[in-house]
Amino acid sequence: MVLDTMSRTVVLGVIGSDAHVVGITILEQALSAAGFDVVNLGVQTSQEEFAEAAVAHSAEAVLVSSLYGHAEQDCQGFHEVLEEADVDAMTYIGGNLAVGQDDFEQTRETFEELGFDRVFDSETDPEEAIAALERDLHVTTSESEQVTVTS
Amino acid sequence: MVLDTMSRTVVLGVIGSDAHVVGITILEQALSAAGFDVVNLGVQTSQEEFAEAAVAHSAEAVLVSSLYGHAEQDCQGFHEVLEEADVDAMTYIGGNLAVGQDDFEQTRETFEELGFDRVFDSETDPEEAIAALERDLHVTTSESEQVTVTS
Amino acid sequence: MIRDERIPSDELRRIDDEIRSGWSTGGDVDFEEAIRYHESLPASKRFADVLESADKPLLQPRAGVPRLDDQIELLEYLQDDGKADLLPTTIDSYTRDNEYGKAQEGLEKARETGEDTLNGFPAVNHGIEGCRELIDALDAPIEVRHGTPDARLLAAITFAGGFQSFEGGPISYNIPYTKRHGLEETIEKWQFVDRLAGAYTERGVRINREPFGPLTGTLVPPSIAIAIMIVEGQLAATQGVRSITLGYGQVGNVVQDVAALNALQKLGDEYLPDEVCVTTVFHEWMGGFPPDEARANGVISLGGMTAAIAQPDKVITKSPQEFQGVPTKEANAAGLRTTRQVIDMAIEQNIDIDGIAEEQDLIERETRCLMDTIFAHGDGDVVRGTIEAFDSGALDVPFAPSDSAKGAVLPARDDDGRVRIFEWADLEMDDDIKEIHKARLSQRADTEGREESFRMVADDVDAISDGKLIGRPQGKGGVGSAD
Amino acid sequence: MIRDERIPSDELRRIDDEIRSGWSTGGDVDFEEAIRYHESLPASKRFADVLESADKPLLQPRAGVPRLDDQIELLEYLQDDGKADLLPTTIDSYTRDNEYGKAQEGLEKARETGEDTLNGFPAVNHGIEGCRELIDALDAPIEVRHGTPDARLLAAITFAGGFQSFEGGPISYNIPYTKRHGLEETIEKWQFVDRLAGAYTERGVRINREPFGPLTGTLVPPSIAIAIMIVEGQLAATQGVRSITLGYGQVGNVVQDVAALNALQKLGDEYLPDEVCVTTVFHEWMGGFPPDEARANGVISLGGMTAAIAQPDKVITKSPQEFQGVPTKEANAAGLRTTRQVIDMAIEQNIDIDGIAEEQDLIERETRCLMDTIFAHGDGDVVRGTIEAFDSGALDVPFAPSDSAKGAVLPARDDDGRVRIFEWADLEMDDDIKEIHKARLSQRADTEGREESFRMVADDVDAISDGKLIGRPQGKGGVGSAD
Ligand code: B12
Ligand code: B12
């Protein structure tokens, strides 16, 4: 099934020295299946690599994943780097964002303050991320229905 | 092995309409093995039955067991009944004394106020009860050592 | 002298009228109206149908609090957060003693103070209306669980109140639960309960009956439990019950537990009339639990694993707080979900363990010995036979607190952790079977370098709560160290 | 071009000097003094001896916090309240990247704020003294657990600091843990680590080495894990290591897990030199956990059950908070005790499951295929063979994030929940074995009425966290619903 979303490019990667790859592998697959053009940078991606890829592919969204508990440190100054590279994309972050047994609302605030447009916890289904992207990137509802109705 | 404690008689039973018998079966066995003369009244024993047995056997201690969560109600007025019958024995209560997930210190207080000399929780090993009895009934140390040393 | 015969209709009516006058709420029962109420219930609340048509073990917790609104909230929680398939309503101890006055006091005190002054739900006091409010409020079918020797009024009210499953039986709610009730007496009373369930059944409302398989919950040899289950099933069938769930409590040895559940289903089908639909329920470990939630979760999970292999129709779950006291609703739901996870991960696996057929064969032979002696004791009548066999000790239950059973038989685990009989007392059993038990136990005694004695039994009683299956000597003197 | 050859003594010294200059604490290492320190340790802290002489599976958790006093407190808790037999010290991620400066910052921030700003214990920064304080404070032996591609300085400091066990290896701490390190590079670096462990071994201090068996933790087919374990064992043996613990991560199918652990021990003994003492470690489920502690306890218990049957030498436990994040010490200890209870209840039982021998045979044949291709790729040299085989894809790991592996092989569960290979890519395997996998997977596809596809893989990845073993279609569209 080919959708109009084919033109919508998103950059995806795991930041810092985090090597948890399974989540973005599943996400990549789901996003592609939903019609997005996915540039998967893989694990251990630096802030600069995210910015370069976003510029090179004119990405409309940058999806950052972090599982290993160093997300906060790894994302310090990330939005400044994106700005300097003139990246004007939605930024999402998801995964397991805090060390230890933290309260998620607190975590969400921390990452919103760092500049992320949306913050997802590790219970996030790929469908939720897709739905959010469709809303934020104004993919028309009929398209999104096409995506979720097929089973 | 025959001990001097043979003369020490204790009455044992489960109070109220409680039918949990396994604990007192184990206790009876352990007390007998430690040299006590045990009068086991079994489960669902009334306050009056405890008093009668204590009188009839000149018991030096009355051991009440309760597991099912109604101990507090079942023991209301118990010490008055004992007094009326002129029972002058140590009174112990043990088992699972409160309904629900209560704090044991609170439970202990409740039952001490009701008149019990000692209150035991359900983690009590028979050895602890025996040690307490030996102390309270002044069984000489050497006897008690004989009991615990043999393995 | 009572026999295994169906109570005639007029007698049923007579007793029904009589017992309903025992407490004010009894007067509200109207059988025809009750049938209409049951007919109005959706298929999802028909206990027997839901249970019998399930394609994997259904989970049911234990739960009962005094106040109606609290009970609704509790069951909703267990349904929604625990994902219970079937719900319980556990009755308080005063009701079990037919002390409805004391239960009323407790209930009122609970309403005033907000504290749980009763250890269960006083259904008789809540009456038909209260029961139906509960049935209406929940989506899943609900069973009455109790431990009442004389449950006639409880049955009359809860059946009319919309409950379609009722635990217990004349032996299983006598021997482990009470000291002074005679067996003849409880059989007579349960004949009424079963007959009443049969009356509903005749009218298309199949009340499910569930004899309480774990009995004293403490190292009960499988064949003793199964024989009693069959007897109670037969008594219920005679009175017209057509949906019977035979119970069994985990002993902790996987091979023996799976074998026992297999034997229970097989012998149940064989001994009970064809028109009865026989299902089975597996109770997670009913003996003493570890005083530690983490370890308790291990015990619960071993039960889940066993259930995944044996696939009984229902599993009654325990909570990690079993040792401590009545569990919080969170702990109760946790026990359900831990069990569910283990079952769902293991159930699609092909796990065929060696030796199950042999153990099952042994259990079946033992059970047949016991059934034969019951029939022989009663000249073919199972009621008389049961009474006489308990009286002579040919049938017995370990740790029975009841005066109606000798309680002289004593179990102990063998070297593999299977429950064997150490002290036979007068229990009827073929000699070759006794030899098998003897050999297994002496093998264990050899391993441990000690004599078989009550101390071994006591050690086994404590073993699971101490973190092991078998009560091996620990080097330091334990119970009975002085004998 | 490196080969599987022992590093000469002078070369060992040269590298040792060089790497120890990488961070200030490196200068404190004095090999002779370190040997004396190890010799002063009581028998109960000799890791290899304790592990190899145990008569039942020893339990070890994972745990690491930045500050020394916190780490001591944490390990004391796990030892006393969790009853851990062996203790861990998990190293932080900056140290794994050799970013000792950043680790220092984190450690200082942790010391100032009291917060855990690092996800582990920065052993290099704590230096020999800090390590020894830890070793001295605890009763049980402690292992270094990390995930470091270049662990040379970490090894130099922790060996001298009194640790006698060190996890990892050139493949197992490369392929799942890092993107850009070449295999040739990590092999060279781990040859030094093993050679250093060998130098201690020669002097009577047998440092235990433990290749990391679970790899990516996500549906890794047993034979792939076992082949890599054997290779890392061989590399370590060449450098003089004599105590090697081969690892394996639970896949959740009991038969396959028991078969795999059996095969691991058997092939380990067979492929590794006689002078090596080979033991095994079983990791409780290393993939995604359920977001619910109650369900997580079920997963943990299934691991305990498997361990009771297979009886590996060591079990690495998970905590019920695995999904959420680094566990509290209470949750960590709870995971230990749940596991202990299940193992202790099940281990004395004779549980022989059908089909283990067949599955083991299949795993062994697959592993031999992989070992043959590795030797063939390297003309008999296992180092070259490993590098070439990964390069060609003849050896591969599913979900490998590393550029050094193709990561093209894809696993899926069969109808019984055993992990099979769905996408072989270039993985070397005999055709008849491939046919077996194909048949099993097409059987599952039939059962589910769908095609084999990546969606099946994705469903399997999520299955255990969703409460099942096999990712069956749920009716509603899941991942990949649009393809
Ligand atoms: C498998 C695993 C590993 C494997 C990883 C293999 C690999 N290369 O991928 C191994 C064993 C190598 C590993 C190593 C480590 N791990 Co790890 N690991 C896990 C585990 C068990 C599962 C992760 C997983 O694959 N889940 C399945 C996938 C499908 O789910 P997911 O990753 O959560 O992704 C989904 C969602 O989160 C979401 N999502 C993710 N990212 C994003 C981004 C966006 C924008 C959106 C919208 C959504 C989204 O969508 C995804 C798809 O559904 C988790 C615990 C758990 N979750 O159960 C720990 C866990 C993540 N690991 C942890 C740690 C600490 C580590 C180590 C540092 C520790 C160590 N002792 O070695 C190292 C780190 C190494 C490194 N440099 O990164 C911690 C993190 C702690 C924290 N955050 O507080 C966890 C939570 C375990 C724990 N409880 O301690 N790990
Ligand atoms: C086996 C059991 C049963 C069996 C009892 C069979 C029998 N006739 O004995 C059956 C299944 C019939 C049963 C029924 C009920 N049970 Co019950 N049962 C248990 C269970 C699982 C084990 C008890 C046991 O035998 N332990 C082993 C023995 C050796 O230990 P023990 O009894 O604790 O005794 C030792 C110590 O406590 C101490 N001790 C005991 N008494 C005394 C006295 C003195 C003076 C001293 C010094 C020491 C001492 O020494 C003993 C020997 O070591 C416990 C939970 C648990 N502990 O794991 C629940 C438990 C006691 N039962 C409970 C309940 C509520 C009931 C029922 C009301 C519920 C029901 N749904 O049917 C009925 C009550 C029936 C009645 N009329 O009594 C609750 C009590 C709740 C509370 N107190 O808050 C418990 C805690 C379960 C729970 N978590 O809900 N039960």
Side-chain angles (χ1 to χ4, degrees), chain B residues 17-21 65 67 69 96 98-100, chain C residues 96 176 286-287 289 322 325:
Chain B
S17 53
D18 191 340
H20 288 91
V21 77
S65 175
L67 268 292
N96 204 321
V99 191
Chain C
R96 297 167 186 219
M286 287 293 290
F289 254 69
E322 173 65 16

Side-chain angles (χ1 to χ4, degrees), chain D residues 173-474:
Chain D
Y173 268 7
N174 173 338
I175 304 299
Y177 278 95
T178 177
K179 182 154 74 174
R180 291 196 190 82
H181 289 83
L183 260 179
E184 172 134 20
E185 177 197 334
T186 51
I187 292 176
E188 197 181 336
K189 280 157 185 170
W190 278 89
Q191 282 182 329
F192 171 82
V193 171
D194 285 329
R195 182 65 179 81
L196 194 60
Y200 278 92
T201 301
E202 260 170 54
R203 295 291 299 275
V205 179
R206 284 199 313 141
I207 304 269
N208 171 261
R209 284 274 298 107
E210 181 187 327
F212 177 63
L215 302 169
T216 52
T218 307
L219 307 179
V220 179
S223 55
I224 290 181
I226 296 174
I228 292 172
M229 289 301 98
I230 295 172
V231 168
E232 292 198 348
Q234 289 179 325
L235 302 189
T238 301
Q239 304 300 330
V241 174
R242 294 294 171 260
S243 173
I244 298 181
T245 306
L246 303 180
Y248 171 75
Q250 182 186 11
V251 302
N253 176 284
V254 178
V255 168
Q256 191 172 35
D257 282 329
V258 174
L261 281 163
N262 292 349
L264 181 65
Q265 181 72 56
K266 181 174 160 201
L267 297 177
D269 285 333
E270 184 184 317
Y271 277 91
L272 299 192
D274 288 346
E275 57 273 26
V276 172
C277 178
V278 178
T279 46
T280 59
V281 53
F282 178 61
H283 296 250
E284 290 179 344
W285 175 244
M286 288 293 290
F289 254 68
D292 166 8
E293 297 191 20
R295 289 185 180 270
N297 282 321
V299 177
I300 288 170
S301 294
L302 187 64
M305 187 70 191
T306 306
I309 299 171
Q311 305 204 17
D313 300 286
K314 179 166 93 172
V315 178
I316 305 221
T317 58
K318 282 264 165 144
S319 99
Q321 295 177 339
E322 172 65 15
F323 174 85
Q324 187 56 38
V326 175
T328 61
K329 64 183 193 304
E330 290 82 7
N332 211 339
L336 282 160
R337 296 201 306 273
T338 299
T339 303
R340 184 86 276 161
Q341 180 79 24
V342 176
I343 292 182
D344 282 358
M345 284 182 66
I347 200 164
E348 292 192 274
Q349 302 182 31
N350 212 343
I351 302 181
D352 288 323
I353 308 179
D354 285 358
I356 289 177
E358 292 85 328
E359 187 65 35
Q360 185 179 337
D361 185 63
L362 180 64
I363 294 170
E364 288 179 16
R365 282 168 57 210
E366 291 175 26
T367 310
R368 288 183 205 282
C369 276
L370 294 173
M371 293 308 299
D372 289 349
T373 201
I374 292 168
F375 290 130
H377 272 77
D379 283 330
D381 182 85
V382 65
V383 163
R384 297 252 43 91
T386 301
I387 295 168
E388 302 295 338
F390 266 111
D391 202 51
S392 74
L395 185 58
D396 197 6
V397 174
F399 303 106
S402 170
D403 291 342
S404 301
K406 295 220 162 164
V409 63
L410 281 177
R413 292 191 188 273
D414 69 17
D415 230 15
D416 194 55
R418 302 186 195 178
V419 173
R420 304 297 177 197
I421 295 175
F422 151 65
E423 171 58 61
W424 291 90
D426 296 316
L427 195 82
E428 179 65 35
M429 198 54 68
D430 288 351
D431 284 339
D432 61 325
I433 293 176
K434 287 189 177 179
E435 285 308 317
I436 296 173
H437 286 239
K438 219 180 196 152
R440 298 293 181 91
L441 289 176
S442 89
Q443 187 193 340
R444 166 171 173 197
D446 286 351
T447 302
E448 298 179 358
R450 64 169 170 174
E451 299 290 304
E452 298 161 43
S453 70
F454 183 81
R455 182 164 161 201
M456 210 177 242
V457 180
D459 289 345
D460 283 349
V461 164
D462 283 342
I464 286 183
S465 63
D466 288 348
K468 314 267 180 212
L469 183 68
I470 308 173
R472 307 282 193 197
Q474 291 302 306

Side-chain angles (χ1 to χ4, degrees), chain A residues 17 19 21-22 25-26 29 33 41-45 49 68 70 73-74 96 99-102 122-123 126-127 147 150-151, chain D residues 93-94 97 117-119 176-180 218 291 321 323-328 399 401 454 458 461 475 478-479 481-482:
Chain A
S17 53
V21 77
V22 185
T25 307
I26 304 291
Q29 181 67 22
L41 304 176
V43 304
Q44 300 182 330
T45 299
E49 285 165 321
Y68 74 156
H70 278 189
Q73 291 102 307
D74 291 340
N96 205 322
V99 191
Q101 306 292 320
D102 282 32
S122 55
E123 289 191 55
E127 284 68 30
V147 173
T150 330
S151 85
Chain D
S93 286
Y94 289 127
D97 293 339
T117 44
L118 296 175
N119 59 4
Y177 278 95
T178 177
K179 182 154 74 174
R180 291 196 190 82
T218 307
Q321 295 177 339
F323 174 85
Q324 187 56 38
V326 175
T328 61
F399 303 106
F454 183 81
V461 164
V479 170
S481 53

Side-chain angles (χ1 to χ4, degrees), chain C residues 351-384:
Chain C
I351 303 182
D352 290 322
I353 308 179
D354 284 358
I356 288 177
E358 292 84 330
E359 187 65 34
Q360 185 179 337
D361 185 62
L362 180 64
I363 294 170
E364 288 178 15
R365 282 168 57 208
E366 292 175 24
T367 310
R368 287 183 206 283
C369 277
L370 296 173
M371 292 311 297
D372 289 349
T373 200
I374 292 168
F375 290 128
H377 273 77
D379 282 331
D381 181 85
V382 65
V383 163
R384 296 250 47 87

Side-chain angles (χ1 to χ4, degrees), chain B residues 47-91:
Chain B
Q47 297 186 351
E48 291 70 25
E49 287 165 321
F50 273 103
E52 280 161 31
V55 171
H57 298 88
S58 321
E60 299 192 47
V62 175
L63 275 55
V64 178
S65 175
S66 177
L67 268 292
Y68 74 157
H70 279 188
E72 194 181 336
Q73 289 102 309
D74 292 340
C75 293
Q76 296 291 351
F78 180 47
H79 283 79
E80 287 70 29
V81 170
L82 290 180
E83 229 163 81
E84 266 168 45
D86 272 335
V87 176
D88 174 33
M90 297 296 296
T91 57

Side-chain angles (χ1 to χ4, degrees), chain A residues 8-78:
Chain A
R8 311 300 176 99
T9 300
V10 301
V11 163
L12 176 67
V14 180
I15 201 163
S17 53
D18 191 340
H20 289 91
V21 77
V22 185
I24 56 160
T25 307
I26 304 291
L27 274 176
E28 174 186 11
Q29 181 67 22
L31 289 167
S32 305
F36 291 94
D37 220 354
V38 186
V39 180
N40 187 347
L41 304 176
V43 304
Q44 300 182 330
T45 299
S46 67
Q47 299 186 348
E48 291 70 25
E49 285 165 321
F50 273 104
E52 278 162 32
V55 171
H57 298 87
S58 320
E60 299 191 45
V62 175
L63 275 54
V64 178
S65 176
S66 176
L67 269 292
Y68 74 156
H70 278 189
E72 195 181 335
Q73 291 102 307
D74 291 340
C75 293
Q76 296 290 352
F78 180 46

